[in-house]
PDB file of all heavy atoms in Angstrom:
ATOM      1  N   GLY A 113      -0.691   8.350  14.524  1.00 98.00           N
ATOM      2  CA  GLY A 113       0.030   8.167  13.275  1.00 98.00           C
ATOM      3  C   GLY A 113       1.523   8.245  13.481  1.00 98.00           C
ATOM      4  O   GLY A 113       2.015   8.340  14.597  1.00 98.00           O
ATOM      5  N   PHE A 114       2.244   8.201  12.360  1.00 98.00           N
ATOM      6  CA  PHE A 114       3.702   8.177  12.433  1.00 98.00           C
ATOM      7  C   PHE A 114       4.307   8.658  11.131  1.00 98.00           C
ATOM      8  O   PHE A 114       3.657   8.667  10.085  1.00 98.00           O
ATOM      9  CB  PHE A 114       4.195   6.748  12.738  1.00 98.00           C
ATOM     10  CG  PHE A 114       3.580   5.698  11.849  1.00 98.00           C
ATOM     11  CD1 PHE A 114       4.071   5.440  10.582  1.00 98.00           C
ATOM     12  CD2 PHE A 114       2.485   4.961  12.293  1.00 98.00           C
ATOM     13  CE1 PHE A 114       3.500   4.481   9.781  1.00 98.00           C
ATOM     14  CE2 PHE A 114       1.903   3.998  11.490  1.00 98.00           C
ATOM     15  CZ  PHE A 114       2.415   3.756  10.230  1.00 98.00           C
ATOM     16  N   THR A 115       5.561   9.063  11.199  1.00 98.00           N
ATOM     17  CA  THR A 115       6.306   9.467  10.007  1.00 98.00           C
ATOM     18  C   THR A 115       7.225   8.339   9.566  1.00 98.00           C
ATOM     19  O   THR A 115       7.756   7.592  10.384  1.00 98.00           O
ATOM     20  CB  THR A 115       7.136  10.737  10.278  1.00 98.00           C
ATOM     21  OG1 THR A 115       8.004  10.501  11.382  1.00 98.00           O
ATOM     22  CG2 THR A 115       6.247  11.920  10.570  1.00 98.00           C
ATOM     23  N   ILE A 116       7.408   8.251   8.259  1.00 97.00           N
ATOM     24  CA  ILE A 116       8.338   7.286   7.678  1.00 97.00           C
ATOM     25  C   ILE A 116       9.603   7.995   7.208  1.00 97.00           C
ATOM     26  O   ILE A 116      10.707   7.474   7.330  1.00 97.00           O
ATOM     27  CB  ILE A 116       7.659   6.517   6.532  1.00 97.00           C
ATOM     28  CG1 ILE A 116       6.575   5.586   7.109  1.00 97.00           C
ATOM     29  CG2 ILE A 116       8.667   5.726   5.708  1.00 97.00           C
ATOM     30  CD1 ILE A 116       5.780   4.837   6.089  1.00 97.00           C
ATOM     31  N   TRP A 117       9.451   9.194   6.697  1.00 97.00           N
ATOM     32  CA  TRP A 117      10.605  10.005   6.302  1.00 97.00           C
ATOM     33  C   TRP A 117      11.405  10.404   7.538  1.00 97.00           C
ATOM     34  O   TRP A 117      10.835  10.754   8.568  1.00 97.00           O
ATOM     35  CB  TRP A 117      10.134  11.251   5.566  1.00 97.00           C
ATOM     36  CG  TRP A 117      11.240  12.105   5.027  1.00 97.00           C
ATOM     37  CD1 TRP A 117      11.826  13.175   5.635  1.00 97.00           C
ATOM     38  CD2 TRP A 117      11.898  11.946   3.769  1.00 97.00           C
ATOM     39  NE1 TRP A 117      12.801  13.709   4.844  1.00 97.00           N
ATOM     40  CE2 TRP A 117      12.875  12.970   3.682  1.00 97.00           C
ATOM     41  CE3 TRP A 117      11.767  11.052   2.719  1.00 97.00           C
ATOM     42  CZ2 TRP A 117      13.704  13.118   2.577  1.00 97.00           C
ATOM     43  CZ3 TRP A 117      12.588  11.199   1.617  1.00 97.00           C
ATOM     44  CH2 TRP A 117      13.543  12.216   1.553  1.00 97.00           C
ATOM     45  N   ARG A 118      12.702  10.318   7.442  1.00 93.00           N
ATOM     46  CA  ARG A 118      13.577  10.727   8.550  1.00 93.00           C
ATOM     47  C   ARG A 118      14.262  12.040   8.203  1.00 93.00           C
ATOM     48  O   ARG A 118      14.635  12.268   7.040  1.00 93.00           O
ATOM     49  CB  ARG A 118      14.636   9.651   8.815  1.00 93.00           C
ATOM     50  CG  ARG A 118      14.031   8.311   9.244  1.00 93.00           C
ATOM     51  CD  ARG A 118      13.331   8.405  10.589  1.00 93.00           C
ATOM     52  NE  ARG A 118      12.631   7.170  10.957  1.00 93.00           N
ATOM     53  CZ  ARG A 118      13.169   6.147  11.587  1.00 93.00           C
ATOM     54  NH1 ARG A 118      14.457   6.166  11.900  1.00 93.00           N
ATOM     55  NH2 ARG A 118      12.447   5.093  11.900  1.00 93.00           N
ATOM     56  N   ASN A 119      14.468  12.880   9.206  1.00 93.00           N
ATOM     57  CA  ASN A 119      15.141  14.165   8.990  1.00 93.00           C
ATOM     58  C   ASN A 119      16.570  13.959   8.502  1.00 93.00           C
ATOM     59  O   ASN A 119      17.286  13.071   8.967  1.00 93.00           O
ATOM     60  CB  ASN A 119      15.166  14.979  10.287  1.00 93.00           C
ATOM     61  CG  ASN A 119      13.791  15.477  10.668  1.00 93.00           C
ATOM     62  OD1 ASN A 119      12.900  15.565   9.845  1.00 93.00           O
ATOM     63  ND2 ASN A 119      13.620  15.798  11.942  1.00 93.00           N
ATOM     64  N   ASN A 120      16.986  14.794   7.576  1.00 96.00           N
ATOM     65  CA  ASN A 120      18.365  14.809   7.086  1.00 96.00           C
ATOM     66  C   ASN A 120      18.881  13.415   6.693  1.00 96.00           C
ATOM     67  O   ASN A 120      19.922  12.968   7.191  1.00 96.00           O
ATOM     68  CB  ASN A 120      19.305  15.413   8.148  1.00 96.00           C
ATOM     69  CG  ASN A 120      18.850  16.776   8.605  1.00 96.00           C
ATOM     70  OD1 ASN A 120      18.543  17.632   7.781  1.00 96.00           O
ATOM     71  ND2 ASN A 120      18.790  16.983   9.907  1.00 96.00           N
TER      72      ASN A 120
END
Side-chain angles (χ1 to χ4, degrees):
F114 49 82
T115 57
I116 291 177
W117 184 267
R118 298 295 174 87
N119 290 339
N120 306 312

